[in-house]
């Protein structure tokens, strides 16, 4: 038997999710990872059934933890399920994890292998017999051609939607790279807009037949994928998709009512209605925004509960805000250790504010989870690259000057201070000024003391960078 037949031995619906996950690895890895997450969700149902367990929550994190508490899964299975859950979350928003297309495809391929390992492990538990031998059939290289054929020749709405999603995910990842701050000034090819135009075309083709495509068509109009934005029409289509129970549409419409956007005014009651509906279907961003709504209303305990649910679902922004609430004791008891743990989790998943905070904690030796200076440096560089953060530039310049990273590099420190000065606001300039002056004085003191040609060249370069006034 092949790998799909092997999974079907446990459950036909499970095999369907696995087949779809495998099918889209090459061309729509985001969709592949979402099927991986659905696979994990269905697997929790199968694991609960023999013990007639009723889950306390629809949230996948909570389900996995409930199975663990009841000892229906061991530590390895629990970790494997959480890994699949996390991979699925990355598939939903790859741009927020700073993933590139090749990395996303690699992640999807690895997730398929992880699914099979988990099925092998659980086969005896679920069927009371040893797992049979099977052969793994390689990923279908023709699946992308099939998708295009269905979209173009058969006018298949699902294929058109999936093509649109493929182009959209490529666009968002390309845009992230295009907007990233790099050491050189060579511009990257402007691929994002090209991909967005293609995505918008396919969403428009499928919108009449597929509510998911209707939502994406609305988003494309809202953000002007093909040129000028049409906010009113875009919001109208998003509202129609929300009425058709498209979870992403309900979450976005709820957000519009939360903050006010375009023709939609703030309306707390409607925000709660749509965000709650999306949160009930495990939409992690909706859970987080529902927490924000309760926070604004002063209901800190409800805010904490929903933000915690979103954090447990793997949403990095919620993990960062949960860390802040735990540190301040908002809606909960103060718990510095738990706060730092969630901060570390958010940083590990690429949340920029969390990465900066973690780097500062490590550099100041305040972290309860170690003082890995190489990790601190990596975080600072990523925050600079993707967030263009002046505070991170300042922190990195200080670290390169005082030697806490294991080396002193006054040239790079001067370069970061120079870039920070160009981008800084008035308050940040006041922080930069004494650092600038101190580094300039340090360079002047060391120059007469060294005869090393390389070191003198570096110091002269730093002196030239610092020649201008810091103000």
């Amino acid at each position: 038997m092949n790998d799909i037949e092997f999974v079907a031995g446990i459950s036909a619906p499970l095999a369907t999710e696995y087949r779809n996950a495998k099918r889209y690895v090459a061309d729509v890895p985001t969709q592949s990872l979402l099927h991986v997450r659905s696979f994990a969700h269905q697997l929790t149902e199968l694991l609960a059934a023999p013990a007639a367990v009723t889950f306390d929550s629809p949230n996948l994190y909570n389900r996995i933890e409930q199975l663990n508490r009841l000892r229906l899964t061991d530590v390895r299975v629990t970790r494997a399920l959480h890994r699949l859950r996390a991979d699925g979350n990355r598939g939903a928003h790859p741009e927020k994890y700073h993933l590139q297309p090749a990395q996303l495809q690699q992640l999807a391929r690895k997730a398929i292998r992880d699914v099979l390992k988990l099925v092998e492990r659980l086969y005896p538990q679920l069927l009371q017999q040893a797992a049979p031998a099977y052969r793994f059939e390689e990923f279908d290289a023709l699946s992308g051609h099939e998708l295009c054929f269905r979209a173009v020749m058969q006018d298949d709405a699902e294929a058109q939607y999936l093509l649109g999603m493929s182009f959209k995910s490529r666009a968002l990842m390309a845009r992230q790279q295009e907007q990233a701050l790099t050491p050189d000034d060579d511009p990257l090819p402007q691929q994002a807009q090209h991909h967005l135009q293609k995505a918008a075309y396919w969403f428009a083709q499928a919108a009449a037949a597929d509510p998911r495509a209707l939502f994406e068509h609305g988003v494309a109009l809202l953000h002007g994928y093909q040129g000028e934005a049409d906010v009113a029409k875009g919001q109208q289509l998003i509202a129609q998709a929300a009425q058709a129970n498209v979870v992403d549409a309900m979450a976005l419409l709820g957000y519009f009512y939360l903050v006010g956007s375009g023709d939609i005014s703030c309306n707390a009651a409607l925000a709660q209605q749509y965000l709650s509906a999306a949160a009930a279907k495990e939409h992690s961003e909706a859970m987080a925004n529902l927490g924000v709504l309760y926070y604004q209303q002063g209901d800190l305990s409800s805010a904490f509960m929903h933000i915690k649910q979103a954090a447990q679902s793997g949403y990095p922004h919620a993990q960062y805000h949960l860390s802040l609430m735990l540190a301040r004791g908002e809606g909960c008891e103060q718990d510095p250790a738990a706060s730092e743990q969630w901060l570390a989790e958010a940083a590990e998943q690429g949340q920029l504010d969390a990465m900066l905070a973690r780097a500062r904690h490590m550099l100041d030796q305040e972290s309860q989870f170690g003082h890995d200076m190489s990790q601190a440096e990596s975080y600072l560089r990523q925050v600079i690259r993707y967030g263009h953060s002046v505070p991170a530039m300042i922190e990195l310049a200080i670290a390169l000057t005082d030697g806490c990273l294991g080396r002193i590099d006054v040239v790079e420190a001067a370069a970061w201070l120079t870039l920070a000065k160009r981008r800084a606001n008035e308050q940040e300039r006041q922080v930069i000024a004494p650092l600038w002056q101190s580094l300039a004085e340090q360079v002047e003191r060391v120059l007469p003391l060294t005869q090393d040609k390389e070191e003198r060249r570096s110091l002269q370069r730093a002196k030239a960078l610092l020649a201008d006034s810091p103000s």
Side-chain angles (χ1 to χ4, degrees), residues 170-180 192-193 196 225:
R170 292 181 194 179
L172 293 176
M173 288 183 284
R175 175 175 287 173
Q176 179 193 75
Q177 296 303 314
E178 290 168 5
Q179 294 177 347
Q193 191 59 40
L196 286 175
Y225 285 8

Side-chain angles (χ1 to χ4, degrees), residues 104-152:
L104 190 63
Q105 189 180 97
Q106 184 180 15
L107 180 64
R109 288 177 178 272
K110 179 181 178 298
I112 293 297
R113 299 289 190 178
D114 289 343
V115 163
L116 282 177
K117 290 177 184 176
L118 183 57
V119 172
E120 289 173 12
R121 187 172 187 85
L122 290 174
Y123 204 102
Q125 177 180 338
L126 293 171
L127 275 80
Q128 309 303 312
Q129 63 185 60
Y134 67 92
R135 68 182 185 283
F136 179 79
E137 292 188 348
E138 287 301 319
F139 300 99
D140 185 2
L142 297 177
S143 60
H145 298 293
E146 178 200 351
L147 199 63
C148 293
F149 179 83
R150 286 168 50 204
V152 176

Side-chain angles (χ1 to χ4, degrees), residues 211-233:
R212 298 171 301 171
L214 178 67
F215 164 70
E216 294 292 350
H217 181 36
V219 172
L221 291 172
L222 183 71
H223 294 295
Y225 285 8
Q226 292 183 310
E228 188 174 349
D230 188 340
V231 174
K233 182 63 174 178

Side-chain angles (χ1 to χ4, degrees), residues 37-100:
R37 193 180 191 284
S38 295
F39 181 98
H41 203 286
Q42 287 194 25
L43 194 55
T44 60
E45 295 280 358
L46 292 176
L47 289 166
V53 169
T54 300
F55 286 112
D56 300 330
S57 166
N59 185 290
L60 182 55
Y61 177 95
N62 292 338
R63 288 180 172 223
I64 295 169
E65 288 300 300
Q66 186 174 348
L67 291 173
N68 185 44
R69 286 196 306 272
L70 296 172
R71 298 187 178 181
L72 296 177
T73 57
D74 59 25
V75 173
R76 289 184 179 179
V77 170
T78 299
R79 287 177 179 169
L81 285 168
H82 277 308
R83 191 159 50 246
L84 297 181
R85 175 186 59 82
D87 289 343
N89 292 335
R90 287 177 172 84
H93 299 286
E95 75 285 356
K96 293 183 179 179
Y97 296 89
H98 316 306
L99 294 173
Q100 298 181 31

Side-chain angles (χ1 to χ4, degrees), residues 138-349:
E138 287 301 319
F139 300 99
D140 185 2
L142 297 177
S143 60
H145 298 293
E146 178 200 351
L147 199 63
C148 293
F149 179 83
R150 286 168 50 204
V152 176
M153 303 304 294
Q154 298 179 345
D155 200 25
D156 184 297
E158 181 189 32
Q160 291 167 344
Y161 164 73
L162 290 173
L163 276 180
M165 291 302 294
S166 177
F167 283 117
K168 180 182 177 181
S169 65
R170 292 181 194 179
L172 293 176
M173 288 183 284
R175 175 175 287 173
Q176 179 193 75
Q177 296 303 314
E178 290 168 5
Q179 294 177 347
L181 189 63
T182 55
D184 53 54
D185 295 324
D186 295 334
L188 292 169
Q190 297 296 304
Q191 296 179 327
Q193 191 59 40
H194 177 66
H195 289 323
L196 286 175
Q197 290 171 351
K198 288 188 174 183
Y201 171 81
W202 287 114
F203 291 143
Q205 297 302 304
D210 191 322
R212 298 171 301 171
L214 178 67
F215 164 70
E216 294 292 350
H217 181 36
V219 172
L221 291 172
L222 183 71
H223 294 295
Y225 285 8
Q226 292 183 310
E228 188 174 349
D230 188 340
V231 174
K233 182 63 174 178
Q235 290 185 331
Q236 178 187 344
L237 297 183
I238 291 166
Q240 290 176 14
Q243 295 303 318
N245 295 321
V246 175
V247 179
D248 286 336
M250 292 189 288
L252 185 54
L253 188 59
Y255 175 75
F256 289 158
Y257 281 119
L258 175 66
V259 300
S261 176
D263 293 337
I264 296 177
S265 301
C266 290
N267 186 315
L270 288 175
Q272 183 173 354
Q273 175 186 328
Y274 285 106
L275 291 174
S276 296
K281 295 182 179 292
E282 298 188 67
H283 195 287
S284 56
E285 193 166 354
M287 294 176 197
N289 284 329
L290 192 56
V292 171
L293 175 63
Y294 285 119
Y295 192 95
Q296 291 176 348
Q297 295 174 342
D299 186 350
L300 296 184
S301 60
S302 294
F304 177 81
M305 179 184 72
H306 286 92
I307 289 173
K308 184 177 180 180
Q309 286 181 342
Q312 290 173 336
S313 294
Y315 188 52
H317 292 284
Q319 292 170 343
Y320 172 66
H321 289 292
L322 179 61
S323 170
L324 296 180
M325 293 187 79
L326 285 163
R328 298 167 182 163
E330 293 178 324
C332 60
E333 291 186 12
Q334 274 188 304
D335 191 336
S339 173
E340 191 72 17
Q341 186 173 356
W342 280 111
L343 187 68
E345 182 72 16
E348 190 65 24
Q349 296 203 77

Side-chain angles (χ1 to χ4, degrees), residues 358-378:
R358 279 286 288 161
R360 283 172 164 166
H361 290 183
M362 290 176 181
L363 292 170
D364 295 340
Q365 298 192 352
E366 293 177 357
S367 173
Q368 300 182 40
F369 297 94
H371 312 292
D372 185 343
M373 294 306 174
S374 63
Q375 182 68 77
E377 180 180 359
S378 174

